[in-house]
Amino acid sequence: MNTPPAGLEIRPLTIPRAIDDPDATDFVAMTHVRNLVYSETSGHDDERMTPAELLPNYGPDPAELRLAWLVLLDGEAVGRIGVDVPQEAGSRVVYWLVELRQSVWGRGIGNAAYALVESTARAHGRTVLQTWAEHPPSSGEHLQPPTGFGSIPFDHIARFLLRRGYQLEQVERISALDLRDGLPRVRELCARATEAAVGYRTVQWRLPTPPEFVEGYAWMKSRMNTDAPAAGLEFDEEVWDAARVARADAKIVDAGRTALVTAAQHIETGDLVAFNELVINNDLTEATSQYDTLVLSSHRGHRLGMLVKCAGLLSWLDIAPHSPRVLTYNAEENRPMLDINEAIGFAPIGYEGAWKKVLSDSSTTADAGIADSSGSSGS
Ligand SMILES: CC(C)(COP(=O)(O)OP(=O)(O)OC[C@H]1O[C@@H](n2cnc3c(N)ncnc32)[C@H](O)[C@@H]1OP(=O)(O)O)[C@@H](O)C(=O)NCCC(=O)NCCS
């Protein structure tokens, strides 16, 4: 391991109340560096957010302690660090990120940043450290996860994580769907799924969630961590109530962003049993993100996944008619979901590795707290 450069500063991120407040400078710089790193890695700008759009993700949240730092070299922002500490009872995990501009890689900055991640996890008594990294495509040697599905290049990022004791647990496919042709295939798929889904109907709403759907939506959100393929990753079972739904909604709505939820309702019971989320920033000409999609396990086999995805996309053409494409992330072993996406027309544009390291219990201090952090990581 190497010593970091002399001009390196890692500064706890100040979270401003509003983006035009005088103390918002570091938050604005953090957002800027975030967008640049994502663009450098993926070759597109579809993940960009404005500081005002990102800010609501950093408000206090009883479900998750979010810690963040700005990385500066000779006074210039070159990266960011985030550690999210879920507050579920008995949680052992943290989710972290270290994201640096490519121009400063290989100088020991990542190493210094990562030391802070691990000491933060230890200080909070957490032993399971997990992170997701997009690996730009490259030829040459590749690594496979134990699932046997997909691979990522054995690149600078992979070497960095492996040297620090991480294991590649899962590969996620990033896919894009071109919206500009008006989705003729999707109209047909939607009609067929509607025919197959006897006993169900679709219901839709824009966030914030209307009161009549809060309970059903909260239950489905709580199943995301338990019902999606997790490979060797560790996820806490999350408890979602009306207050948590309202907080999650506010992170999108307070930023002026638009989200459409399309759900399948079991007509006989009125239960919500499947859902799909589409989200876009304030600028409706930007790319769309598909967030969660889930069919509750007891209602699988009725084409409900296809139904909620297709119905959502068709409505989306009216909400954001100039958004050029939709991005989505799926586990490479999640064949049922990939089958639906491929039929709709999604095609792979990149791959992410999901990495995990387990610390030995003896090296941690149970929830000692951390004095030098004020922010949160967020997406
Ligand atoms: C992964 C990432 C954080 C690594 O950061 P980095 O600053 O390049 O990492 P470092 O320079 O500290 O360490 C990389 C290697 O370069 C070596 N190195 C450092 N300075 C060097 C130098 N002057 N000459 C040669 N090698 C050097 C280090 O020893 C280290 O090797 P090691 O892993 O065998 O110890 C960075 O590439 C990045 O931000 N990637 C994009 C986001 C991402 O994928 N993050 C990870 C998951 S969130």
Side-chain angles (χ1 to χ4, degrees):
M1 307 274 169
N2 47 301
T3 39
L8 178 68
E9 187 191 352
I10 295 179
R11 191 149 84 199
L13 185 67
T14 301
I15 308 301
R17 287 170 65 86
I19 220 60
D20 43 14
D21 282 1
D23 64 350
T25 319
D26 276 4
F27 193 88
V28 171
M30 182 279 286
T31 310
H32 186 58
V33 92
R34 165 200 183 276
N35 292 343
L36 286 169
V37 169
Y38 288 175
S39 171
E40 285 173 353
T41 309
S42 67
H44 61 75
D45 284 324
D46 288 353
E47 310 272 7
R48 73 175 166 249
M49 290 176 86
T50 64
E53 287 164 345
L54 195 57
L55 185 59
N57 289 317
Y58 285 71
D61 185 345
E64 191 166 59
L65 177 63
R66 316 199 80 188
L67 309 166
W69 297 261
L70 186 64
V71 179
L72 302 112
L73 186 59
D74 301 326
E76 187 197 336
V78 294
R80 63 176 192 150
I81 305 169
V83 181
D84 291 349
V85 189
Q87 298 298 295
E88 309 297 338
S91 177
R92 306 196 308 159
V93 310
V94 295
Y95 306 104
W96 65 269
L97 59 83
V98 172
E99 292 169 351
L100 305 175
R101 297 291 312 274
Q102 271 178 22
S103 53
V104 303
W105 288 11
R107 296 173 62 183
I109 300 175
N111 192 43
Y114 179 72
L116 179 59
V117 168
E118 209 167 289
S119 66
T120 302
R122 288 180 197 282
H124 287 274
R126 301 302 169 99
T127 50
V128 180
L129 283 60
Q130 298 176 130
T131 189
W132 282 258
E134 183 169 349
H135 296 258
S138 76
S139 52
E141 197 181 339
H142 274 58
L143 290 173
Q144 268 214 321
T147 61
F149 289 89
S151 66
I152 49 108
F154 185 47
D155 57 10
H156 179 81
I157 300 165
R159 272 193 293 276
F160 180 86
L161 291 163
L162 289 167
R163 279 271 288 157
R164 279 151 194 84
Y166 279 79
Q167 168 147 343
L168 177 66
E169 297 288 355
Q170 190 177 47
V171 169
E172 289 224 337
R173 181 192 295 195
I174 309 166
S175 308
L177 172 70
D178 195 325
L179 290 171
R180 289 167 299 185
D181 65 356
L183 304 175
R185 253 156 105 184
V186 174
R187 284 174 205 285
E188 201 192 307
L189 289 167
C190 198
R192 276 199 259 144
T194 307
E195 263 172 46
V198 177
Y200 298 88
R201 69 175 154 228
T202 53
V203 289
Q204 289 186 309
W205 64 89
R206 289 195 201 192
L207 297 187
T209 312
E212 66 267 33
F213 296 131
V214 166
E215 195 184 328
Y217 185 48
W219 173 249
M220 294 192 295
K221 293 291 276 184
S222 78
R223 298 298 89 196
M224 271 314 290
N225 273 2
T226 55
D227 291 13
L233 299 164
E234 183 166 322
F235 293 103
D236 303 318
E237 187 166 349
E238 292 180 350
V239 178
W240 281 71
D241 57 10
R244 188 162 181 172
V245 168
R247 285 196 308 273
D249 287 0
K251 286 180 186 173
I252 293 175
V253 175
D254 290 357
R257 301 166 77 215
T258 302
L260 175 72
V261 181
T262 303
Q265 187 175 39
H266 186 232
I267 296 170
E268 199 184 314
T269 57
D271 292 346
L272 298 182
V273 300
F275 75 110
N276 165 258
E277 299 168 330
L278 293 168
V279 183
I280 193 164
N281 288 341
N282 282 272
D283 179 349
L284 299 181
T285 67
E286 289 185 7
T288 298
S289 293
Q290 186 165 257
Y291 279 15
D292 292 347
T293 301
L294 183 75
V295 181
L296 296 184
S297 31
S298 50
H299 290 268
R300 291 189 182 160
H302 302 279
R303 300 270 189 109
L304 297 180
M306 182 65 92
L307 183 68
V308 292
K309 282 208 171 186
C310 288
L313 285 165
L314 293 178
S315 299
W316 197 250
L317 294 178
D318 295 326
I319 293 173
H322 302 294
S323 178
R325 63 177 185 163
V326 183
L327 297 196
T328 190
Y329 290 68
N330 303 103
E332 190 62 21
E333 69 272 29
N334 193 350
R335 224 340 98 193
M337 195 61 92
L338 290 175
D339 279 345
I340 293 171
N341 286 344
E342 288 166 5
I344 288 173
F346 278 96
I349 57 164
Y351 290 92
E352 253 189 9
W355 298 82
K356 180 174 100 173
K357 175 178 182 177
V358 181
L359 305 177
S360 62
D361 278 310
S362 56
S363 55
T364 58
T365 325
D367 278 320
I370 285 258
D372 62 344
S373 52
S374 57
S376 64
S377 62
S379 54

